[in-house]
Amino acid sequence: MSAPASAPFKLSPTYGLIAVNVFVFLCAGAAAQSLLSIPVHVLQDMGGNLALLSLTGDGWRLFTSLFLHGGLVHILSNMYLLILVGPLAERVYGRTGMLMLYLIGGLWASLASACWSGLHTVPPTGGLSGGQPSLNLIVSVGASGALMALCGAMLMASLWQPDVPQDAAEGAPAKTNLSSVLLQVIGINLVMGFIARGVDQAAHLGGLIAGLLLGGAIGLGWPQRDAPPRTQRLVLIGLTSVGLLAAALCAGAWPQLHELRAEWNEGVSAHARRDKADAAARKQEAADIDARNRASKVREEAAAVQRRRLPPPVSDKEATGRVWEFAGKGGNSAFLRVSEDGRQVQALDLINDIVDTLNLDTGAITTTREKLNLTDYAEIFPQQRTDGLSLRSGPEGRVVLVDSSDQGVKRQWLRCPVRYAGEGFRVTAAFLDKDGHNIVAALGHQPVVRVTDLDTGLDLGFYPTVGYPVAGQFSADGRHLYILSKYTETERQGRTLSMIDLSRRMADTGKSFSNGPLICEWRLGSER
C-alpha cells in the first residue's frame, strides 16, 4: 500500500499579515527607540494617514498606515483580533478573498478617516494670522479599520449563507453564535470609539461599511455558497473597488487642504534647508576641530624642538643687558625706531612730534622735531619683512598677520587673558626670524619683558628691565631687543634704554611674572 500523499503547504494570509505588521512595528520601534509608544513624528515619517498629506497627493499613506501601530498594546489587541477573525474569513471567502477584504476594506477605512479629519477644522487657540482655521492634524494608524471590514464581510456572510461550511464549523461557533460574536465584536469596537480618546471612529465605521458592501457584492449571484467564491469574481470586485476608491480620492477638491499643503511643503523645505545647513556646519566644525588638533600637534612638536635649542639661563643681572640713562625731552614716547646699523635708537613722542635719538656708541642724546603720523607706527610691526605682510595688534586681544596690499587678514593669534598686577601683556614689537617664525615681545605692568614665538606659543625667554617697560623694538638682525622703560621708584624720575641680548635669558624664575601662556588660540584669516 502506498503512503497517503501529504497536503501541500499553503501560506495563510492571516499569519502573513501578522508577520508584516510585527515587522513594521519593530522597525518603527527601532526608529523611536521604544516599543511601548511610538511618537507621532515617527508614524508620520513612516507613512501614517495624515489628511493634509493623504488627500493632497500622498494617497499611498492610505495603504501604509494599515501596517503601522501606535504602541505595544495597540498592535497586540489588533493582532489578537486578526487571529480570531482572519482564519474564519479565509474559510468562508478563501485566502484570496480574505486578503482582498482586508486590504481594500482597510483602504476605504483609511479614506473615511482622512475625509473626516479633512472636513473638521478647529478654531485657532493662539490666533492664527488672518483668523484662518487650523487643520486638526491627526495621524491615523492601525489595522482596526481593515479588521472591521473583515468583521462586516463575515457578518454579511452569516446572513446570506445557508450554513457555515463544514471546515469552518470545526472549532468555530455555529451560525447563530457566529453572528452573535461578530455583532459583539463590532459593537464593542464602535462603543469604545465613542467613549475612549484617541480611537479613530471614522476608520472603524468606514471599514465596517466597506466590509458589508464588499461582502454583499461577493454574495450577490454566488452560485455555490457552500464553497469560496471564484478568484476571477474576487479580482473583478477588487479592481472595481480600487477604481471607485481612486476616483473618490481624485474627485475631492479640498481647496483649503491644498492651500495648507503648500504652506506645509514650504515649511518642510525650509526645515530641510536648515537641517542641511546645520549638517554642513557640524561637518565643517568637525573638520575645523580635526584641523586644529593636527595643527596643535605640529605646534607641540615644533615647540619641543625649539625648547631643546634654547640657550641656558643666566642671572638676572646678565639678562638685563646694557642700560643707558635716557634723558630725552619726549615725555610721552611710546614707540622705538632702530637704525639699520643698530647704533642709534630713537624714542618717538607721537603726541608732541618729538624724536629723541640716542647714540649707543657715545651715549649722547639729540632731540629733534618731526611730523609723526600715528598710523605709520601704531599697531604695525615688524618693519623688516619683505613679503608684504605685517603683524598688527587687532581687536579683542588679537594679533593679526595682514597683507599690506589689500589689508586682508592671513592669520590670527588670540592672546590669553594673562594679567599681572591688574594689567595684561601687550605685544609691542615683532621680528621674523630666519626660520620664518613670528617672534614678538610683550610688555606688561611688571619689570620684565617676555619674548614669544607666535607660531608655536613657546616663550623663548623672560628678560628683566630697569623699570616698567613702555616701548620696545628688535634690532634688524633680531639678536637684540631694545626696551624703553620708566623708573619704578617714586623718588626717582626719568627713563632708561636697555639693549637685551636675546641669547641670555633669565632663569625660569622669570615665569613668576606670568600666570599663563601669551597665546591661547590660533586661527586662519577667515575664521572669527
Side-chain angles (χ1 to χ4, degrees):
M1 295 180 62
S2 59
S6 58
F9 174 75
K10 296 180 179 179
L11 177 63
S12 168
T14 296
Y15 295 102
L17 288 170
I18 291 175
V20 173
N21 277 277
V22 171
F23 174 75
V24 173
F25 177 71
L26 292 177
C27 292
Q33 298 182 347
S34 172
L35 292 177
L36 295 179
S37 179
I38 310 299
V40 173
H41 69 89
V42 174
L43 297 174
Q44 176 189 312
D45 292 342
M46 294 187 67
N49 185 14
L50 178 60
L52 175 61
L53 305 180
S54 300
L55 299 178
T56 58
D58 292 356
W60 52 269
R61 291 177 177 271
L62 303 179
F63 178 78
T64 55
S65 61
L66 299 177
F67 302 96
L68 291 167
H69 290 82
L72 187 61
V73 174
H74 190 197
I75 190 172
L76 288 178
S77 59
N78 278 348
M79 294 304 100
Y80 175 71
L81 185 57
L82 180 56
I83 291 175
L84 292 180
V85 180
L88 291 175
E90 287 184 43
R91 295 188 183 102
V92 174
Y93 292 100
R95 294 190 300 276
T96 303
M98 179 269 177
L99 189 60
M100 183 204 74
L101 289 168
Y102 182 93
L103 296 178
I104 297 180
L107 286 173
W108 280 103
S110 296
L111 180 61
S113 172
C115 291
W116 180 263
S117 296
L119 288 171
H120 288 75
T121 57
V122 294
T125 56
L128 294 177
S129 60
Q132 296 296 324
S134 61
L135 187 66
N136 190 13
L137 296 179
I138 296 175
V139 179
S140 177
V141 295
S144 56
L147 292 170
M148 290 293 285
L150 287 182
C151 290
M154 287 297 297
L155 180 61
M156 183 62 70
S158 69
L159 296 177
W160 48 250
Q161 214 172 9
D163 198 2
V164 178
Q166 183 63 31
D167 59 346
E170 296 176 1
K175 173 184 173 183
T176 304
N177 289 338
L178 177 61
S179 301
S180 175
V181 170
L182 289 172
L183 288 173
Q184 290 180 40
V185 171
I186 293 171
I188 291 173
N189 276 278
L190 294 180
V191 171
M192 290 298 296
F194 283 113
I195 65 176
R197 292 178 60 87
V199 177
D200 192 347
Q201 187 72 307
H204 287 174
L205 289 172
L208 177 61
I209 295 172
L212 291 172
L213 293 175
L214 289 170
I218 294 173
L220 288 176
W222 190 347
Q224 189 179 358
R225 296 187 176 184
D226 58 348
R230 294 181 179 276
T231 302
Q232 295 88 335
R233 182 179 182 82
L234 294 174
V235 171
L236 179 61
I237 293 175
L239 291 176
T240 303
S241 300
V242 172
L244 291 174
L245 186 141
L249 187 61
C250 296
W254 306 104
Q256 184 184 29
L257 291 187
H258 281 283
E259 182 180 345
L260 292 172
R261 176 65 185 267
E263 298 179 9
W264 174 285
N265 290 342
E266 178 58 31
V268 170
S269 299
H271 186 72
R273 289 193 296 269
R274 287 194 300 270
D275 287 347
K276 185 177 180 180
D278 290 344
R282 288 192 297 269
K283 183 177 180 180
Q284 184 60 47
E285 182 181 4
D288 292 343
I289 292 174
D290 183 61
R292 285 197 290 268
N293 289 338
R294 291 197 304 269
S296 177
K297 185 177 180 180
V298 171
R299 283 195 302 271
E300 290 173 0
E301 293 173 351
V305 174
Q306 268 186 321
R307 192 176 292 108
R308 290 192 294 268
R309 294 176 179 175
L310 290 177
V314 298
S315 66
D316 291 2
K317 183 177 180 181
E318 292 178 284
T320 302
R322 191 176 175 186
V323 180
W324 290 266
E325 293 290 333
F326 198 91
K329 295 182 179 180
N332 296 304
S333 300
F335 298 93
L336 293 180
R337 192 165 57 188
V338 182
S339 64
E340 288 292 331
D341 58 10
R343 293 183 177 182
Q344 290 185 339
V345 178
Q346 294 178 327
L348 310 179
D349 185 342
L350 275 64
I351 297 177
N352 301 307
D353 292 335
I354 295 176
V355 178
D356 292 321
T357 302
L358 171 65
N359 188 309
L360 300 184
D361 293 333
T362 64
I365 295 179
T366 58
T367 300
T368 58
R369 288 191 173 273
E370 179 182 335
K371 185 60 178 177
L372 301 172
N373 189 350
L374 178 63
T375 58
D376 292 338
Y377 301 96
E379 304 181 344
I380 300 178
F381 41 83
Q383 303 295 334
Q384 98 282 3
R385 298 189 73 115
T386 59
D387 54 6
L389 304 179
S390 62
L391 282 167
R392 302 185 184 184
S393 291
E396 303 175 0
R398 303 180 187 217
V399 178
V400 295
L401 186 64
V402 178
D403 188 336
S404 301
S405 62
D406 59 5
Q407 301 301 308
V409 177
K410 303 302 180 183
R411 297 178 65 187
Q412 300 183 70
W413 297 267
L414 271 65
R415 288 191 286 115
C416 300
V418 179
R419 307 187 71 83
Y420 180 85
E423 185 175 320
F425 280 92
R426 62 181 178 86
V427 176
T428 187
F431 179 77
L432 187 68
D433 71 3
K434 59 183 177 58
D435 296 321
H437 287 216
N438 295 283
I439 312 300
V440 297
L443 315 178
H445 193 66
Q446 60 271 354
V448 69
V449 177
R450 71 189 301 171
V451 176
T452 306
D453 181 353
L454 284 181
D455 299 316
T456 64
L458 178 68
D459 286 321
L460 304 179
F462 285 80
Y463 303 89
T465 60
V466 182
Y468 291 124
V470 295
Q473 189 58 269
F474 287 94
S475 63
D477 58 8
R479 296 172 57 187
H480 296 90
L481 176 64
Y482 298 93
I483 298 295
L484 182 66
S485 304
K486 291 183 178 180
Y487 282 116
T488 57
E489 298 88 348
T490 56
E491 67 277 3
R492 190 175 182 183
Q493 302 298 321
R495 294 171 296 171
T496 62
L497 181 75
S498 302
M499 185 178 71
I500 298 172
D501 184 349
L502 294 180
S503 65
R504 302 173 69 80
R505 63 190 181 94
M506 62 191 301
D508 289 341
T509 54
K511 293 184 179 180
S512 61
F513 291 99
S514 170
N515 57 3
L518 181 68
I519 303 300
C520 278
E521 193 170 343
W522 291 257
R523 294 182 182 177
L524 297 177
S526 59
E527 293 182 278
R528 295 299 300 167

